[in-house]
Every structure is written in C-alpha cells, then in structure tokens.
Amino acid sequence: MRNRYVITGVLAAGVLLAGCAGTDDNAPDENSSEAEAATDDDAPDESSPEAEATTDDDHGDVAMGEPADAADASRTIEVEALDIAFDPESLSVEGGEVVTFVVTNTGQAVHEFTLGDAAMQQEHADEMAELDGGMAHDEPNSISLEPGETKELTWQFGEGGTVEYACHEPGHYEAGMHGDLTIG
C-alpha cells in the first residue's frame, strides 16, 4: 500500500513540474497589445468556405441552418418513427424556410430524429456508440422519443443542399432508419 502512495506522489510531482517547465518566450504577454490584436483577426470570415464547413458544439452548421422558434415556422411536417423506418422516407424544404417537425414514435423501441449533414450524423453516431446502449437526449438538432411519445423540433434551413434525418439508436441507422431531406 505504501508503494502506491509513493508512486502517486512521484507522478503528481512530475505532472506539476511538467506544467511549470515549458514557457514560450515568443508568446505575447497577456497584458500586451499584441494579445489584444490577435483576437478576432485570426477567425475565419463568416462568409468564407471554412466558416461554412465548421460545426460548433450546438450543431449550428451554416450550410444546414440553425434551430428556430416554433412561432416562426411557416409549416409543420409530421414524421412517424416506425420500428426501423421513417414515414415519410424523404422530405424537401425551401432554402431559408422555418419548419416544425412533429415526430411521433409509433414503434416499440426508443428512436430519435436527428437532423444533420454527413459529418454531423457521423459525429452523433460516434457519441452514441461511446455510450453503449444509446442515450436519452434532446439537442438543438436531435430529439429522442420513447415509444408512443411525440416531440417537436423547429429548424430554419440554409440555402441549399441535402441533409439527413436519422436514428442512431444502436443498429437503427445501419438497418436503414434514415432519410434524405432536400433543401432547394
């Protein structure tokens, strides 16, 4: 038992020393005007392709659109989550349109309705896989539904392209529980 304490103490001291050892003599001082000048100048222009390809933590991809208030919706689209399928299998919306999706799980298993481009769908699938057995969650672009449950998701779409709506409960996407949503 004593050896464990000695090893833990040595490791802690090493971490502390490593954190204090390295300094960058070329880095601007936090109080200097150089640090202030480097704030927003290095960020990509919001209209640049780099900004469009960037996805932030709230899944607000510029090309896909962003969450919106239900009061701003120009129409409602009803979607049924069946056991391993969506009805309808594909959808289309206008660029810039605000839509409220009313999603009902008529299946026997937990399902989700996740909007996203290919990268966002893969990121969400990876998150779900890490949690072994899925997760109950609601995010700006994703809702999780127990059997018999109905929820709404309101979204303002970008100016064009194709995104997907999908379920990433274990094995559901792979079994075909996804559909294309065309923005035109």
Side-chain angles (χ1 to χ4, degrees), residues 55-143:
T55 302
D56 59 19
D57 290 338
D58 70 356
H59 300 286
D61 187 290
V62 176
M64 193 185 114
E66 61 189 2
D69 292 329
D72 296 332
S74 60
R75 78 175 154 138
T76 299
I77 297 176
E78 293 188 15
V79 177
E80 196 173 354
L82 309 163
D83 279 332
I84 318 304
F86 285 108
D87 183 24
E89 295 177 1
S90 64
L91 296 166
S92 62
V93 298
E94 295 299 317
E97 184 176 14
V98 178
V99 174
T100 295
F101 295 94
V102 178
V103 185
T104 302
N105 181 354
T106 59
Q108 298 300 308
V110 172
H111 292 298
E112 64 176 11
F113 179 84
T114 300
L115 291 174
D117 62 19
M120 293 168 72
Q121 294 289 355
Q122 185 59 55
E123 177 185 340
H124 189 73
D126 293 345
E127 290 171 359
M128 294 286 288
E130 286 178 16
L131 295 172
D132 190 31
M135 61 181 182
H137 64 285
D138 287 338
E139 297 179 20
N141 69 319
S142 182
I143 52 178

